[in-house]
Amino acid sequence: MSEFVNSKFVKKISEITYQSYDHGWDERNGGNVSLRIDEADLADYADVKEVKKTIDLGFDARALAGQYFLVTGTGRYFRNVINQPKLDLGLVRITADGQKADLMWGFEDGGLPTSEFPSHLMSHIERLKVDQNQRVVMHCHPTNLIALSFTQDLDEAQISRLLWKMQAESLVVFPEGIGVIPYMTPGTTEIGKATAAKMQDFRVVMWPHHGIFGAGTSLDETFGLIETVEKAATIYSQIGAQGGQIKQAITDDQLRALAKAFHVVANPDFL
Ligand code: 13P
Ligand code: ZN
């Protein structure tokens, strides 16, 4: 039997949190990640079989009863996870009544799941309805996307189209566009509900003046999604830095040709 700390799950989430920090998206304790793991994939690890303690969730997560999540701790620094995974990560299992989470591994110095865990779980619930392979929710603070929330109307169609037109890759990676919610207080069930409602149609939701919520089937895919959105926002910032004058740009027809060539369906409300 192996130790869970040496599993591919802990290794990958530790890499991703460090890389996200390294990109400048996770100052201090900014950002959080949760990864849904099948019980069968935990069979080899003897150290995840006992409940260490039980944690209140503060909302009804019954739709996820019995599911396991590897999640970052509240107040923990993404920069550090790679060096102290047993302290900064926890493996939890949602209880049968959906009100609590049993801690099976990690958070060894008394840590608790991220303050955004209700928002993560609500997003997992909605994404699972549209994609059975849904596994990851990732929140972070990408600088250029946050900047965009000050200079643009908080309009999904406008922001999605702007990001699509910043690089040929955007439409291919997020053809549905990006969801946008109003500014709301972090860590509340209200922001969780608003985010999850957007997750019915989008895998990426902008939190104005704060950051981004992304969802996907793997850590790599979700990271790549956020990376692509932030790259597009960075190009927009750089256009501003070069004087802001646009001489030529990707047209709507060129976006349609892109969608056709890459066999994706662009959100018909936006294009
Ligand atoms: P946590 O430290 O609770 O994960 O919060 C970080 C954050 O980014 C809140 O939005
Ligand atoms: Zn945040």
Side-chain angles (χ1 to χ4, degrees), residues 25-27 29-32 114-116 139-141 146 186-187 207 210-213:
W25 304 341
D26 298 282
E27 70 291 340
N29 66 308
N32 24 79
T114 169
S115 58
E116 308 290 6
H139 164 64
C140 59
H141 303 164
I146 297 171
W207 282 14
H210 181 152
I212 193 169
F213 248 66

Side-chain angles (χ1 to χ4, degrees), residues 19 22 26 32 40-41 54 69 79 103 121 135 142 160 162 171 182 185-187 204-205 226 244 271:
Q19 285 159 359
D22 204 34
D26 298 282
N32 24 79
D41 290 329
T54 301
F69 292 91
R79 178 164 59 85
L103 178 65
L121 294 178
R135 290 206 176 272
S160 297
L162 183 141
L171 183 89
T185 306
V204 179
V205 180
I226 292 173
L271 181 69

Side-chain angles (χ1 to χ4, degrees), residues 21 38 47 61 72-73 82 93 112 117 137 144-145 161 168-169 171 177 186-187 205 212 222 253 256 259 269:
Y21 158 73
D38 290 341
D47 55 348
T72 52
I82 201 158
R93 183 182 61 198
L112 290 169
F117 201 35
V137 171
N144 293 281
L145 188 74
R161 288 172 52 80
E169 203 70 12
L171 183 89
V205 180
I212 193 169
T222 313
D253 277 344
R256 286 186 199 102
D269 294 335

